Amino acid sequence: MAQPFPYTYYACDCFDSTTTTASKRASQVLAAAAEEDERDFDPRSPRSNYSLFPLEHLLYCEDCQQIRCPRCVIEETLNWYCPSCLFEVPSSVVKSDGNRCTRNCFNCPVCTAPMTTNSLDTSGDNGPPYILACPYCHWSTVEIGIEFEKSTGISSQLARVANGGKHIPTQKERDKERERKKELEERRREGRAVMSPSEESPTTDTEREEVAPSHDELFANLGAFYKSQMEAQTPSNPFSSHDINYSSPSAYSRIVNLYSSTTSKKNKRNKHTPFREAGSALEGLTIHDSAADAAAIERIKREGWGSTLSPSTKHAQINPNLRFDNELRPLATLLCTKRSKRCRSCRHILSKPETKVTSTRYKIKLLALNHIPRLSIRALPLNINPAQQQPLAPPARPESAFNYNGLKSGIPTHFLLHLSNPLFDPIRVTLATPSTTPGKVQSRITILCPQFDVGANTDVWDDALASTLSPINRTSLINDAGQIEAGKIWDRGRNWTSVVVEVVPGFLKPVAFPVLAEDGKGGGEAEGDDGGLDEDEDVLEIPVFVRIEFEADVVAEERGLGVSVGGGDAKKGEGGAREKREVAFWTVVGAGRIAPL
Amino acid sequence: MSRPTARKAAPKGEYIETDSGNKVSRRSAITGTANITLGGRTVIMADVVLRGDLHSTRPVPSSSGKEVTPTSISIGRCTVISTGSVIKPPCRTSKGMPHYYPVKIGDNVFVGPNCAISAITIASHVHIGANVTIHPFAIIKENVKILPNSVIPANMVIAPGSVVGGQPARVVGEVGEGWGVSGGGAGGGLGVGGGGEEKWVEGGDLRELVRSIK
């Protein structure tokens, strides 16, 4: 999900730790780890796609004291539900009927909008027949010739009717029909007394409906065939010389037979008929029919591409072999799940929602938001006029007019990096950033005050009652030349501090500007690989390394009280044991897009 | 973090504030005010159209036998309707007669600028981006984020905690566990004064945002 500027992503380092240990020897791992520490985080590396998350998607494991991203948690499904009718589906039904809603929820096969059941009755009292219609693109089951007699139980009605209104036999009827056909064939074979499959011609009896069997039918046939094969394979005597392999289905059914069937001993043990493959349509064999292809080509000639399906429409269908728009079926809505999440390394539960579908509350929820400082960036108003600066009124903020999508190359721009502390202890923050952004467009970045303190997240009223914080005289921050002085914080509050970052956006095209030539740093490399810009290469993303140090209460942690919960205890200092903690992580701050010159 | 909608430098008294703290722009177009309820601390920005006149024409059964004014739009607390949005109760034609059904919008809902809303229900903590169209009788559950420029088809039900987008909208993701949790941690009133971070998050408590609108 692309976020509008400015944004902050947090890097979870879980992917680094797994790959290095897997492939290298211990000595190399150490070296690699050291190297890893040295290296700057590159937000453009293809791998970092998988490690950057917005803060609200991250969890925090209090036992490992680490951020947990969606990749380093284990998910456990609590329940399944239909997102459309919000009914919970029991897991047994999911196993038997698949992950689709078995009520009246359908999506349009063309545009995916949910479909409604409409009446075709013109008399005005909403009687039968009914159809499924899409309110968005106006596709309806009329186009595939399906109408329903009742307005409820649509999915069972739909299962019984093929496109065009023909009846689809149920599983049982299909099985019976298959048996009947098989017997017929058997009899015919006996009558001829010779096995001559080549001259097998359909007799008048089987020609009753010699339409090509549908996808479902073939699948059912194939399933039945393999089942029978498996049964045939099972030796009637369970105590045969074979080793019993519990993993194979035949061995399993053999063991089951051991207890159930006594009659099976009677049928002679015919020595291992080899496991054969399906040999006829009744056994689920499909033979490529060139006539069907010719017909399809003929149809495309006649009706044009308009009658064919787009890849995405085709992909959404359950039968993968559809080609034409009259073969579409309404799609039963896919189910959703509610999941709990566990830490991958210590297996503690990090988040557990309430099982009720409509409930949005959580039983357990350990958010990174409550443990990791929130970093945010925004443009600093350009008019650094001390007189105007002082009473900066929030409603008429001039920065709302700042165009984040049009950063100007080569012109120093100031951003405000704002760090707020969710912890109940004051923290000491050290920020680091590479001097130029990685990638082809190299922008110079300077954090004017890389080391500072952030107050504890105490009661809001503490701030108001004890005004210990001296107001920052911002005029002193700006020197005579109108530049912001380095080494001083911009502003701070109860549990937040903001510092200024100076950014000189790079040039999209490595033109030989005199500025660049003098610069010496930005120009050289950019000219080296002049391969044009990739997508989003003009986005100014600043990797920022954040390291925080603080003293936390040991006892409160060990008693299992989170920092967020045990805040009151921590202040009292039960036991008095304090330990020094250190948390470090990479973030990527998206400051804007550099405008082309 | 989307920015708040373009707040025009309004002259003094852009908003009329009611006793319960609702802020209604003088430049909004509201019809049928008797049929609209605002929960308190709700902001109706400029050029918003609320069609309160399109109320249910069916007789409302009342115990006292008195004539009850039917509600056509009810909006909860701390909800922000941004500039240029239109809220129109959904309509269904039966027996040749149009029947309007009341719209219900929950608490802490943010509706972006230039939306057209005909949903039947929008639950609490929903964030609707700019230029979103919601067709009649859509039901939007709690903690849903609707991406800008989406079109929600009629009768669609959006499950709690989904992110939807596209035309027609489909579920494209889930909001994180931290949806609506403001950044400062518990009781997280963030920085006051200039340079402070935005004091509200999408899907979170919009009280601070409401307070900052003047």
Side-chain angles (χ1 to χ4, degrees), chain A residues 235 237-248 250-256 258:
Chain A
N237 181 8
F239 303 107
S240 58
S241 55
H242 299 286
D243 292 337
I244 294 175
N245 180 10
Y246 288 94
S247 60
S248 100
S250 70
Y252 183 75
S253 59
R254 182 167 46 165
I255 293 160
V256 172
L258 203 152

Side-chain angles (χ1 to χ4, degrees), chain A residues 373 419 427-431 450-454 546-549:
Chain A
L419 206 129
I427 56 171
R428 178 160 194 80
V429 181
T430 313
L431 299 179
Q451 204 165 41
F452 51 90
D453 293 324
V454 183
V546 184
R547 184 166 157 273
I548 61 169
E549 283 173 41

